[in-house]
């Protein structure tokens, strides 16, 4: 029925219908949030205006937007009618919710085949990663270094090491406070153990205040993009520490400024990754002569990757021969 269709289009998430329920919030939306309250209020008015205008056009066939500033010149809509309708949508806000599509049994064979193909591709990718991250041969100079950092994705490979925490220290960036949208840390089984959902805990040196899009918890929430990122509160520097529930053997770290490639600014260009190695273990030892006790050596930080092994950042330009020579070895021309 038409009335049910309209209700589900406009309020499906409240009615338990997942399909097409982004209708009202599909327009412009301020994801950054200005610290200026007046600007924030103006942006909210624009969001509500989009809801009113789109609803009027879609379901009434009228251009209601004109009545935002004055009585409509042609259609029978007064300015007070516009704001009366705006009041209907005043409680509608943007938020996050899970989508639960109905499973399609017919797609099961296709999904199984895709997973098989993906597994093979991942295996080949692991081989290429190992070659690309191999130590640079002596005497080859800058051409043997890894490519410079980029804002989309950076991979740090190193021999497997047991760790209870990882620290990402940034000492320079392309300007202002550095920004990171996600830090992923992989164990030998290919699991991202940095995820908050896996029990990992993120700490940071400080966060630029006043922005909903840039928070500490975004650093390991499994979501990427500028709108789910962290920005340090110090120009050109900052650090992120991710602690694991228990010691785990890790061998790869993936990090990015903006995985969606929309924002290249605030890119960390000088950095190091350190791992906290677990204590050597063993019981507390007591000295018979003095009665004093001593324990096993304390845990310590050890550098596993840094920008020192990369080409200097030069505005995002990369020497393609540097990557080719690492992957192809002596066969590269």
């Amino acid at each position: 029925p038409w009335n049910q269709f309209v209700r589900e289009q406009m309020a499906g998430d409240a009615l338990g219908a997942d399909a097409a329920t982004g209708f009202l919030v599909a327009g412009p939306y301020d994801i950054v949030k200005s610290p200026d309250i007046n600007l924030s209020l103006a942006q909210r008015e624009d969001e509500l205006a989009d809801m009113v205008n789109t609803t009027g056009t879609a379901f009434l066939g009228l251009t209601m937007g004109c009545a935002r500033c004055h009585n409509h010149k042609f259609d029978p809509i007064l300015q007070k009618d516009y704001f009366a309708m705006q009041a209907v949508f005043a409680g509608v806000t943007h938020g996050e919710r899970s989508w639960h599509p109905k499973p399609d049994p017919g797609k099961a064979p296709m999904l199984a085949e895709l997973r098989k193909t993906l597994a093979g591709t991942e295996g080949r990718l692991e081989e290429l990663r190992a070659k690309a991250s191999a130590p640079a041969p002596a005497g080859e100079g800058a051409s043997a270094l890894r490519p410079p950092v980029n804002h989309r994705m950076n991979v740090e490979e190193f021999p497997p090491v047991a760790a209870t925490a990882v620290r990402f220290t940034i000492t320079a960036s392309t300007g202002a406070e550095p920004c990171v949208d996600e830090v992923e840390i992989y164990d030998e089984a290919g699991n991202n153990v940095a995820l908050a959902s896996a029990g990992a805990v993120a700490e940071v040196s400080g966060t630029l205040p006043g922005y909903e899009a840039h928070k500490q918890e975004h650093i390991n929430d499994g979501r990427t993009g500028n709108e789910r990122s962290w920005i340090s509160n110090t120009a050109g520097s900052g650090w992120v520490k991710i602690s694991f529930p228990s010691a785990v053997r890790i061998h790869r770290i993936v990090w990015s400024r903006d995985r969606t490639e929309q924002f290249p600014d605030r890119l960390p260009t000088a950095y190091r990754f350190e791992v906290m190695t677990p204590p050597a273990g063993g019981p507390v030892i007591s000295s018979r002569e003095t009665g004093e006790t001593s324990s096993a050596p304390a845990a310590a930080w050890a550098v596993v990757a840094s920008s020192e092994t990369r080409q200097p950042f030069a505005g995002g330009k990369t020497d393609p021969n540097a990557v080719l020579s690492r992957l192809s070895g002596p066969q590269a021309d």
Side-chain angles (χ1 to χ4, degrees):
W2 172 252
N3 59 346
Q4 179 181 345
F5 169 77
V6 173
R7 282 198 300 269
E8 291 185 356
Q9 285 286 307
M10 300 179 66
D13 56 337
L15 300 173
D18 278 322
T21 55
F23 174 78
L24 282 180
V25 291
Y29 170 46
D30 175 26
I31 61 174
V32 176
K33 302 298 181 186
S34 171
D36 184 337
I37 183 62
N38 293 317
L39 182 56
S40 293
L41 290 173
Q43 290 167 331
R44 176 57 178 167
E45 285 295 314
D46 289 340
E47 293 171 10
L48 292 172
D50 179 75
M51 297 180 195
V52 173
N53 298 345
T54 307
T55 301
T57 302
F59 297 110
L60 301 177
L62 300 174
T63 54
M64 296 191 64
C66 300
R68 180 181 181 183
C69 301
H70 52 75
N71 294 337
H72 205 294
K73 300 297 184 181
F74 306 104
D75 294 322
I77 304 173
L78 301 178
Q79 189 176 24
K80 68 177 183 179
D81 295 330
Y82 172 91
F83 284 99
M85 187 167 180
Q86 187 201 72
V88 173
F89 300 109
V92 177
T93 58
H94 292 69
E96 300 291 337
R97 65 180 179 86
S98 299
W99 182 46
H100 304 288
K102 295 180 180 179
D104 184 351
K107 293 183 178 180
M110 180 181 68
L111 290 175
E113 186 63 28
L114 288 174
R115 291 191 181 100
K116 181 179 178 181
T117 301
L118 180 61
T121 303
E122 284 288 347
R124 177 57 179 156
L125 186 57
E126 283 295 327
E127 296 176 5
L128 295 175
R129 283 172 177 156
K131 289 183 179 180
S133 60
E140 290 192 13
S143 63
L145 295 174
R146 296 188 295 156
V149 294
N150 66 83
H151 63 285
R152 190 185 71 83
M153 181 185 293
N154 300 281
V155 180
E156 315 290 342
E157 296 271 2
F158 45 88
V161 58
T164 56
V166 170
R167 185 168 61 193
F168 179 17
T169 302
I170 301 166
T171 55
S173 67
T174 54
E177 301 84 355
C179 178
V180 178
D181 71 347
E182 191 75 8
V183 174
E184 303 168 0
I185 304 170
Y186 290 91
D187 64 12
E188 293 180 292
N191 301 308
N192 179 10
V193 296
L195 288 170
S197 59
V201 177
E203 301 173 64
V204 297
S205 53
T207 301
L208 189 67
Y211 297 93
E212 289 294 317
H214 310 297
K215 292 183 175 181
Q216 171 181 328
E217 54 264 36
H218 293 167
I219 203 74
N220 65 333
D221 63 354
R223 303 177 62 184
T224 57
N226 184 69
E227 69 274 12
R228 301 288 300 187
S229 63
W230 163 77
I231 295 183
S232 169
N233 64 344
T234 305
S237 65
W239 57 260
V240 174
K241 177 185 174 184
I242 297 180
S243 302
F244 311 124
S246 59
V248 60
R249 288 180 63 81
I250 61 174
H251 71 109
R252 184 169 80 251
I253 298 172
V254 180
W255 64 276
S256 51
R257 156 61 181 102
D258 179 12
R259 204 73 60 90
T260 64
E261 301 187 74
Q262 299 298 311
F263 294 86
D265 63 332
R266 301 178 182 272
L267 173 66
T269 55
Y271 64 89
R272 65 180 180 274
F273 279 97
E274 302 165 279
V275 299
M276 172 68 78
T277 56
V284 173
I285 302 172
S286 175
S287 170
R288 293 181 181 178
E289 290 79 11
T290 64
E292 296 178 350
T293 60
S294 62
S295 60
W301 289 104
V303 176
V304 293
S306 77
S307 55
E308 293 294 320
T309 61
R310 291 186 179 274
Q311 297 176 38
F313 180 78
K317 296 181 179 179
T318 302
D319 177 10
N321 292 323
V323 180
L324 182 61
S325 63
R326 304 293 288 279
L327 297 180
S328 304
Q331 298 177 356
D333 185 2

